Amino acid sequence: MVEKRVPDFPAFIRSPQNRIARASQFMDDIEGYVFDGADGSQVAFWACKADRVSTEHAHDFDEYVVVIEGRCTAILEGRRIELVAGQELYIPKRTRQSMAVIAGTRTMHVFGGKRAKREAEV
């Protein structure tokens, strides 16, 4: 397993009150924080410390992904899309997906619905 020091998000993002529960994640060794929109949407920030691949899943709402740092491969309905820092991807609702990330990758995901629960909620 390759492990890399991942730069931290600012402290206000990493507040324990914003931390995503492990049960709400599709990947191990990832740290996530979530924020809620007034319309029911959510924004999540994830930092991955090791090379990982998420389990395949789909959402009942659209998703927008921005790679902040590092590199990842989105696998949508079996099609591979390589993304590097600064690139973005729109994923339509109900699309079967998984994501492979390299150690040190940080991403932001905007969901058109409630995607993640906080540790305090489980």
Side-chain angles (χ1 to χ4, degrees):
M1 167 173 67
V2 175
E3 191 159 317
K4 181 178 179 182
R5 166 80 172 100
V6 179
D8 287 332
F9 289 114
F12 73 91
I13 289 177
R14 294 180 292 110
S15 166
Q17 295 172 316
N18 298 326
R19 188 160 176 89
I20 297 173
R22 292 271 176 231
S24 270
Q25 298 185 39
F26 295 106
M27 185 182 296
D28 293 330
D29 296 324
I30 194 164
E31 186 176 299
Y33 299 91
V34 68
F35 297 84
D36 299 313
D39 61 354
S41 62
Q42 286 188 318
V43 176
F45 293 87
W46 271 291
C48 194
K49 295 177 171 67
D51 295 357
R52 291 287 181 255
V53 179
S54 70
T55 57
E56 188 178 59
H57 60 282
H59 303 296
D60 289 331
F61 39 79
D62 297 331
E63 179 177 358
Y64 171 75
V65 180
V66 177
V67 179
I68 298 168
E69 181 173 10
R71 184 175 80 233
C72 64
T73 302
I75 305 155
L76 309 179
E77 305 285 345
R79 186 176 70 126
R80 301 175 70 82
I81 302 168
E82 302 291 329
L83 299 167
V84 296
Q87 291 186 309
E88 56 193 75
L89 177 67
Y90 169 76
I91 304 171
K93 63 183 174 182
R94 293 193 264 302
T95 300
R96 300 296 306 163
Q97 62 175 289
S98 65
M99 182 133 344
V101 298
I102 64 163
T105 297
R106 294 187 303 153
T107 57
M108 178 184 72
H109 300 244
V110 182
F111 301 99
K114 185 167 175 123
R115 151 70 181 84
K117 291 186 179 180
R118 291 170 176 80
E119 286 184 347
E121 298 174 325
V122 290

